[in-house]
């Protein structure tokens, strides 16, 4: 049984390590266990298996369940496990949430139903409320990310869910990028709803904005720097503004690469060149950086794959900037996986091997 869910602090949206090629990648239990231990050792509040960062859309349900099972097993009662159990099918979300509850997860993270585009009313009544009714005693956290889901639970329907069952809907993961929308969440739901940032680079802004008063973050980059992200959230919660700003400045190069966009060219039939942009979205950049640092094998599940040489270079440059300005932020990796960060960042062969 994991630690009860307390929606305050820094949670890591865990990557799912893979072994093998994009066509035949298998989950790497050993690397996953090692990352959970790494997170706990460096002071993270909780871990989130099987979210977007964990490539949940391409995990089979057997893999999905196994990842949550391993996470609960490793975490024990040391940190909360907020298991990704959402789907675009209510029946699947119910089944997955029951399984996570029975394994001992602390709570379920349910993303708004993607692709089929339900209204907010339908999301509340036909999805969230049905999961709550079918899986008693299991808190859920709505995850609002319209850029990926194509729909969004409204502030009014979120407020109804929370006010009708505050213990069962204690928090929301807010990844709209819209501070005004988040302020509306707070205004309608009241002070008892915890708002967790779903965007690393907006965390401090959301915590500082008294209209929002966010209580923490579900972070992507804490896969690499859990200690620093945890310290950042704690510093801001304690009103240590100067320290929080300093940490934010040190981590800014990483926060800016949760997604990576680089200019590119395509050569059409007949030799015509067309300028375009390659947009590599989470978790491609963070998994590339983790592989470059020796934290896991380089593996993504198709249709995700290796990034372009320009994108990999951006990731390497960001890590170099952090290492040069605040080398202590990456030191915990050296002890965890027995590598030299300086040597890895200087090794051209390491980074060339990560390019498509």
């Amino acid at each position: 049984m994991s630690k009860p869910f307390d929606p305050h602090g820094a949670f890591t949206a865990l990557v799912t390590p893979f072994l093998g090629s994009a066509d035949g990648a298998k989950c790497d239990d050993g690397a996953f266990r090692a990352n959970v231990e790494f997170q706990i050792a460096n002071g993270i509040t909780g871990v989130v298996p099987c979210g977007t960062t964990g490539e949940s859309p391409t995990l089979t349900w057997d893999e999905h369940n196994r990842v949550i099972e391993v996470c609960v097993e490793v975490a024990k009662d040391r940190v909360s496990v907020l298991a990704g159990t959402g789907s675009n099918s209510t029946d699947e979300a119910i089944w997955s949430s029951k399984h996570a509850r029975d394994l001992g997860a602390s709570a379920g993270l349910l993303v708004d139903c993607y692709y089929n585009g339900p209204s907010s009313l339908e999301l509340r009544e036909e999805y969230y409320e049905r999961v709550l009714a079918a899986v008693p005693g299991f808190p859920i956290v709505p995850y609002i990310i319209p850029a990926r889901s194509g729909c969004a639970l409204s502030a009014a329907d979120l407020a109804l869910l929370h006010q009708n069952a505050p213990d069962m809907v204690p928090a929301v993961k807010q990844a709209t990028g819209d501070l005004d929308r988040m302020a509306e969440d707070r205004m309608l739901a009241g002070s008892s709803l915890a708002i967790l940032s779903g965007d690393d680079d907006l965390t401090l802004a959301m915590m500082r904005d008294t209209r929002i008063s966010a209580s923490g973050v579900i972070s992507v980059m804490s896969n690499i720097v859990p200690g620093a992200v945890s310290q950042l959230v704690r510093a801001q919660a304690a009103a240590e503004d100067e320290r929080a700003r300093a940490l934010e400045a040190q981590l800014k190069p990483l926060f800016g690469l949760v997604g990576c966009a680089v200019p590119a060219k395509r050569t059409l039939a007949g030799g015509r060149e067309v300028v375009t942009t390659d947009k590599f979205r989470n978790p491609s950049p963070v998994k590339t950086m983790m592989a470059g640092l020796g934290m896991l094998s380089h593996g993504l599940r198709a249709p995700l794959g290796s990034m372009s040489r320009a994108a990999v270079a951006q990731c390497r440059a960001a890590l170099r900037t952090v290492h040069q300005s605040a080398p202590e932020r990456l030191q915990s990796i050296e002890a965890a996986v027995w590598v030299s960060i300086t040597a890895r960042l200087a090794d051209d062969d390491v980074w060339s091997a990560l390019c498509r």
Side-chain angles (χ1 to χ4, degrees), residues 59-229:
L59 295 179
T60 68
W61 279 110
D62 284 345
E63 290 173 328
H64 192 112
N65 292 339
R66 174 61 179 164
V67 169
I68 294 172
E69 180 181 0
V70 171
C71 191
V72 171
E73 178 185 314
V74 175
K76 298 184 175 68
D77 60 353
R78 295 180 290 173
V79 297
S80 296
V81 175
L82 176 60
T85 60
S87 172
N88 62 348
S89 161
T90 297
D91 286 346
E92 287 184 350
I94 289 171
W95 178 81
S96 180
S97 297
K98 283 181 177 177
H99 193 271
R101 178 197 62 186
D102 294 347
L103 286 172
S106 311
L109 179 70
L110 272 71
V111 66
D112 285 346
C113 299
Y114 40 88
Y115 189 75
N116 47 20
S119 67
S120 180
L121 174 64
E122 290 166 313
L123 281 170
R124 176 170 60 82
E125 292 188 345
E126 305 297 339
Y127 182 57
Y128 290 111
E129 287 181 351
R130 286 181 58 186
V131 173
L132 287 166
V135 195
F138 190 59
I140 66 165
V141 176
Y143 174 15
I144 306 174
I145 183 167
R148 287 194 185 254
S149 65
C151 62
L153 184 70
S154 71
D157 285 312
L158 171 64
L160 281 170
L161 285 172
H162 173 67
Q163 291 168 352
N164 288 340
D167 291 338
M168 291 297 99
V169 189
V172 61
K173 179 181 178 182
Q174 246 292 1
T176 62
D178 183 346
L179 299 181
D180 290 335
R181 159 60 206 263
M182 300 173 204
E184 187 181 10
D185 291 343
R186 172 65 65 224
M187 179 181 66
L188 296 181
S191 60
S192 57
L193 177 74
I195 299 176
L196 291 165
S197 170
D199 296 296
D200 280 304
D201 60 347
L202 288 180
T203 301
L204 287 196
M206 290 171 62
M207 294 183 74
R208 290 181 186 130
D209 191 330
T210 56
R211 302 176 306 154
I212 300 168
S213 299
S215 60
V217 62
I218 297 177
S219 170
V220 172
M221 285 302 163
S222 57
N223 278 281
I224 296 173
V225 285
V229 173

